[in-house]
Amino acid sequence: MILEETTQVNASPGEVYHFFETMDVNYQRWHPDHIVFRWNTGDGLEQGAIASFEERIAGKRQKKTVQFTEVVPDRYIEFKPTSRLVGILMPLISFTIIPHENGCDLTQRIKVRTGPIGAWLNRREFNAVRVHMREEGENLKTILETDEVRAA
């Protein structure tokens, strides 16, 4: 199963990518349920870098450490959990940035390994993740389309 959310952003792919490059300063303002983000290894957003983050989804605190597996500036960011157990259930998270004449589309994807019974049993949690992803997209759009941010 793939959880997916696409947001049209009136900002350049470079501005969207820069938002992710500076996640250590953007994480908490991106969503009110974001708690902390830090780069553990590497020099920021690059293949092989490791980062940790905490967030609340459906009121539950989630902690994840991830490794960036593919980074294409202004186009694509992919990472996976470093925990083998978490990676079995959620092997891939990605952000795809597709340019168009008015800015770009940002698509978030989370690949989840579950069968139909698991999807049904965990439907509330998956719905909460979908809502969180939609809110992240809307918040990112608002942040990047604000004149004061663009002027910075």
Side-chain angles (χ1 to χ4, degrees), residues 5-147:
E5 181 67 32
T6 298
T7 305
Q8 186 174 25
V9 182
N10 294 322
S12 72
E15 289 170 305
V16 173
Y17 183 78
H18 181 70
F19 180 87
F20 288 103
E21 279 183 307
T22 54
M23 188 53 67
D24 49 341
V25 297
N26 286 319
Y27 190 68
Q28 289 181 324
R29 71 186 193 130
W30 186 18
H31 195 285
D33 289 334
H34 286 176
I35 300 165
V36 66
F37 177 97
R38 72 178 174 278
W39 296 106
N40 297 352
T41 68
D43 190 24
L45 187 55
E46 62 182 10
Q47 188 169 334
I50 295 177
S52 297
F53 60 92
E54 295 179 35
E55 62 188 340
R56 280 187 197 82
I57 297 183
K60 295 179 184 173
R61 190 177 192 130
Q62 312 245 339
K63 296 180 182 183
K64 292 184 184 69
T65 300
V66 298
Q67 181 170 27
F68 290 82
T69 54
E70 187 175 349
V71 177
V72 179
D74 302 346
R75 296 285 185 254
Y76 187 73
I77 302 164
E78 178 183 287
F79 50 97
K80 65 178 184 174
T82 58
S83 163
R84 289 184 186 188
L85 179 59
V86 175
I88 289 170
L89 302 172
M90 185 179 60
L92 184 72
I93 303 165
S94 68
F95 295 93
T96 304
I97 305 166
I98 304 293
H100 57 71
E101 64 184 42
N102 296 323
C104 60
D105 289 335
L106 174 68
T107 300
Q108 304 176 61
R109 289 186 185 90
I110 301 175
K111 183 175 181 181
V112 180
R113 289 188 180 134
T114 185
I117 293 172
W120 184 79
L121 290 173
N122 295 295
R123 67 190 178 280
R124 286 190 180 115
E125 288 83 1
F126 291 140
N127 286 337
V129 171
R130 285 183 184 98
V131 167
H132 185 90
M133 291 169 67
R134 183 174 53 251
E135 291 170 349
E136 284 179 333
E138 292 167 358
N139 294 345
L140 183 132
K141 176 181 176 68
T142 299
I143 290 166
L144 292 181
E145 291 179 1
T146 302
D147 288 339

